[in-house]
Amino acid sequence: TQLLEQSPQFLSIQEGENLTVYCNSSSVFSSLQWYRQEPGEGPVLLVTVVTGGEVKKLKRLTFQFGDARKDSSLHITAAQPGDTGLYLCAGAGGFKTIFGAGTRLFVKA
Amino acid sequence: GAVVSQHPSRVICKSGTSVKIECRSLDFQATTMFWYRQFPKQSLMLMATSNEGSKATYEQGVEKDKFLINHASLTLSTLTVTSAHPEDSSFYICSARRVGQSLAGSYNEQFFGPGTRLTVL
């Protein structure tokens, strides 16, 4: 069974702090997506990484795909209350997509 | 970007009635769509994979006769919750799969609809 372990599950930080969310697996993925979901809405795709070692930046968010394409990280610099939400990673391999359990981030003003 | 719509966004029905939820990919064709259920403060639970022109593939524990899926076109999948009961109350989300291309080859992405909040009284 493929698993995608996401950590931490919950994170509560002050505005301005930095944080990193991790997704790890023993499986190799052809691509990995990161989503953000707010209450009562569907997940919104933030980024797709496809190449081992790839780094993508989206304003204060930095996404990295591991060299072996088994793991990924999301780093947020100077978090803001607007970053609050559920962050999901999803690894795609073949036909199946595996979702992490999610990281619930709360940024306090 | 890729846009997926879902309708209705919210529905309240009486126990025993059936409810149909539509999922549409607005700017791309999707041979494969997915239906998820999400409980409060939890991640997504895949219910079934909807394949255009063929039968849906249901995950273990999901009753196919209760959750009817039809994928009649490349842009539309529907989920019908038959004889709904209060325990079926939940947040239902669909997604559509799009195949992207990179130098490393093709890869899959899922784009989600905004979700449907179902409340069964």
Side-chain angles (χ1 to χ4, degrees), chain B residues 29-49:
Chain B
Q29 293 183 331
T31 56
T32 305
M33 292 183 174
F34 303 90
W35 287 96
Y36 295 86
R37 187 171 176 176
Q38 188 174 36
F39 294 100
K41 298 186 178 181
Q42 292 189 23
S43 187
L44 306 169
M45 184 187 81
L46 179 64
M47 298 174 65
T49 301

Side-chain angles (χ1 to χ4, degrees), chain B residues 2 8-9 24 33-34 47 57 114 120:
Chain B
S9 58
R24 293 180 185 273
M33 292 183 174
F34 303 90
M47 298 174 65
T57 305
V120 185

Side-chain angles (χ1 to χ4, degrees), chain B:
Chain B
V3 182
V4 176
S5 70
Q6 205 171 323
H7 179 80
S9 58
R10 187 180 295 268
V11 58
I12 301 172
C13 68
K14 292 182 179 179
S15 186
T17 60
S18 295
V19 174
K20 180 186 283 189
I21 304 171
E22 291 187 350
C23 179
R24 293 180 185 273
S25 56
L26 299 184
D27 52 2
F28 68 101
Q29 293 183 331
T31 56
T32 305
M33 292 183 174
F34 303 90
W35 287 96
Y36 295 86
R37 187 171 176 176
Q38 188 174 36
F39 294 100
K41 298 186 178 181
Q42 292 189 23
S43 187
L44 306 169
M45 184 187 81
L46 179 64
M47 298 174 65
T49 301
S50 172
N51 304 297
E52 187 268 336
S54 65
K55 291 182 180 180
T57 305
Y58 290 82
E59 295 299 301
Q60 193 171 8
V62 178
E63 298 177 58
K64 62 179 182 180
D65 294 331
K66 181 165 187 62
F67 298 99
L68 300 178
I69 291 173
N70 185 274
H71 194 152
S73 77
L74 289 173
T75 59
L76 173 65
S77 175
T78 60
L79 168 69
T80 301
V81 183
T82 63
S83 186
H85 287 94
E87 57 265 31
D88 298 324
S89 298
S90 191
F91 192 52
Y92 293 86
I93 313 175
C94 71
S95 72
R97 184 172 71 113
R98 188 178 75 173
V99 180
Q101 294 291 335
S102 72
L103 293 177
S106 64
Y107 61 90
N108 295 322
E109 289 178 307
Q110 287 189 37
F111 294 90
F112 287 87
T116 297
R117 171 73 57 191
L118 171 64
T119 303
V120 185
L121 303 176

Side-chain angles (χ1 to χ4, degrees), chain A residues 34-104:
Chain A
W34 284 93
Y35 297 86
R36 191 177 83 146
Q37 184 182 23
E38 298 194 32
E41 299 180 12
V44 174
L45 180 64
L46 297 174
V47 78
T48 296
V49 285
V50 297
T51 306
E54 182 176 4
V55 176
K56 280 191 173 179
K57 291 193 174 184
L58 188 66
K59 296 183 180 178
R60 294 176 292 101
L61 278 59
T62 301
F63 306 86
Q64 187 163 6
F65 202 13
D67 291 340
R69 291 183 291 141
K70 294 181 179 181
D71 55 87
S72 181
S73 64
L74 157 61
H75 182 79
I76 302 179
T77 304
Q80 298 176 0
D83 296 326
T84 293
L86 177 68
Y87 290 82
L88 294 162
C89 61
F95 190 77
K96 277 279 191 182
T97 295
I98 310 297
F99 282 84
T103 295
R104 193 163 296 280

